[in-house]
Amino acid sequence: MKKKEWIVLLVIGGIALIGILALQILGKMRAKQNQALQSTYVVDVFVDDKVVETFDPNENATYTIEGNYGLMEIEVKEGQWHVSHVECPNHICEKMGWKTVDDIEPIVCLPNGIQLLARVNGN
Amino acid sequence: MGIDKTKHFVYLTLLSAMAITLNIIESIYIGAFTFNIRIGLANIIALLTIKLLGWKETIVVNLMRVVIGNLLRGLIFGSTFWISMGGVVLSTIALILLDKMGSSLMFTSVISSLCHSVGQVLVVIVLYNQPGVAALTLPYLLATSIPMGLLTGYTAKLVLDRIKPMQKKGYH
């Protein structure tokens, strides 16, 4: 590879790393803000643009959502939630693991068009 | 290039078949690592096609891989199909432009891999109207596209180093 090409790759890599760092810092800031404000959160389950279910992450429960491809099972336990089972070809959302209100990345299943987004209760 | 029409067509068919097979193997048996990060094995075939046959054939191979690959997995015209298509269209454009500019194979591979990720994210933004959600994954996709692009570029280079001497001897 030419020297110029290495420089371009280093610049792109640098931008990506700055982006990842910024996301991590934002996540920590959000966690601190949550502690300070003691905000209560709810999680909206979207199928495409519509909210089909809203749950309190502090109430242990299991929800089954019908997406565009098949069913998704969401398990909520002690302020955390994860996808325990999903009918889709990728199963990426299952691998995303447990999420809390401090996590900046939401759980998304693109084949089903399902997104799990946390928001401050009342907003 | 010295390849007659039939040989050219056979080459195109073989490369398309390899791209489709790699695409299916990767999505079924290898799958994504964390988030949606993939090696992009089919990109090796795209790189080989542009070097062996040309830009028009690269478009054909890449389109066949998305359309037939998704058709065989039962995902044709679903959201996954359009996301793949977005990635492939942008990566093919990048591949052709960089090849015309005379960039090295490794660099072409990395940029094509980057454009694949960007193309997918753009389609997600349009389909789901969630620019924030898509932007969260882009830094991770960009960071991992570089090693994955280098890996596929290096593999393509190894293959070309073996094919080119055969072509010169007339084996094609």
Side-chain angles (χ1 to χ4, degrees):
Chain A
M1 258 197 324
K2 297 166 200 164
K3 198 180 168 189
K4 269 185 195 170
E5 295 175 346
W6 276 114
I7 294 169
V8 174
L9 290 192
L10 283 175
V11 170
I12 296 169
I15 293 169
L17 287 180
I18 291 168
I20 293 171
L21 211 68
L23 287 177
Q24 299 291 332
I25 293 168
L26 276 174
K28 281 190 181 148
M29 277 168 63
R30 188 165 147 171
K32 271 188 188 167
Q33 204 180 18
N34 286 343
Q35 270 184 339
L37 294 171
Q38 289 184 324
S39 328
T40 52
Y41 274 80
V42 287
V43 179
D44 286 330
V45 182
F46 286 81
V47 176
D48 294 330
D49 289 343
K50 286 181 195 146
V51 179
V52 294
E53 180 74 63
T54 300
F55 63 81
D56 179 351
N58 293 311
E59 279 176 25
N60 296 354
T62 309
Y63 302 92
T64 306
I65 309 294
E66 198 179 337
N68 298 331
Y69 192 92
L71 296 174
M72 175 191 270
E73 209 175 270
I74 303 159
E75 189 185 354
V76 185
K77 205 175 176 185
E78 294 158 6
Q80 294 180 307
W81 60 92
H82 81 136
V83 175
S84 49
H85 178 73
V86 68
E87 288 172 357
C88 90
N90 304 328
H91 296 273
I92 290 165
C93 53
E94 280 178 4
K95 292 177 198 161
M96 290 180 86
W98 292 90
K99 295 281 169 193
T100 68
V101 290
D102 298 334
D103 285 307
I104 220 163
E105 299 97 0
I107 291 178
V108 180
C109 173
L110 288 178
N112 276 309
I114 299 178
Q115 301 174 61
L116 276 69
L117 301 173
R119 64 170 167 88
V120 177
N121 199 3
N123 276 12
Chain B
M1 192 151 283
I3 306 175
D4 66 40
K5 222 173 176 182
T6 317
K7 274 182 182 165
H8 187 90
F9 190 68
V10 171
Y11 245 58
L12 184 64
T13 319
L14 281 172
L15 287 165
S16 301
M18 283 191 264
I20 295 161
T21 313
L22 283 177
N23 189 19
I24 294 171
I25 287 176
E26 193 178 1
S27 54
I28 296 175
Y29 297 107
I30 303 174
F33 302 119
T34 50
F35 293 104
N36 206 354
I37 298 151
R38 288 180 178 211
I39 308 170
L41 291 175
N43 199 30
I44 300 169
I45 307 297
L47 288 164
L48 292 178
T49 314
I50 203 157
K51 292 290 173 195
L52 294 171
L53 301 178
W55 65 273
K56 283 178 197 160
E57 288 77 4
T58 309
I59 296 174
V60 174
V61 168
N62 277 350
L63 284 180
M64 295 263 271
R65 147 191 147 195
V66 178
V67 175
I68 301 179
N70 276 283
L71 188 69
L72 290 173
R73 285 188 291 144
L75 300 169
I76 192 91
F77 303 129
S79 58
T80 322
F81 169 79
W82 293 113
I83 293 164
S84 312
M85 191 57 110
V88 158
V89 167
L90 209 61
S91 74
T92 311
I93 293 170
L95 196 65
I96 294 166
L97 286 178
L98 286 168
D99 189 64
K100 294 259 180 225
M101 284 161 66
S103 301
S104 71
L105 192 67
M106 301 280 266
F107 184 72
T108 311
S109 170
V110 174
I111 299 298
S112 154
S113 162
L114 279 169
C115 288
H116 198 278
S117 304
V118 174
Q120 287 183 321
V121 169
L122 286 176
V123 175
V124 172
I125 292 174
V126 174
L127 275 184
Y128 294 93
N129 198 20
Q130 289 281 359
V133 174
L136 288 172
T137 56
L138 200 56
Y140 292 97
L141 288 172
L142 288 184
T144 50
S145 291
I146 298 173
M148 298 304 165
L150 287 173
L151 184 78
T152 50
Y154 184 67
T155 316
K157 192 180 166 293
L158 290 178
V159 177
L160 281 175
D161 287 347
R162 281 156 181 80
I163 290 179
K164 277 189 174 161
M166 282 167 74
Q167 277 192 324
K168 276 179 195 162
K169 283 179 189 168
Y171 291 116
H172 302 309

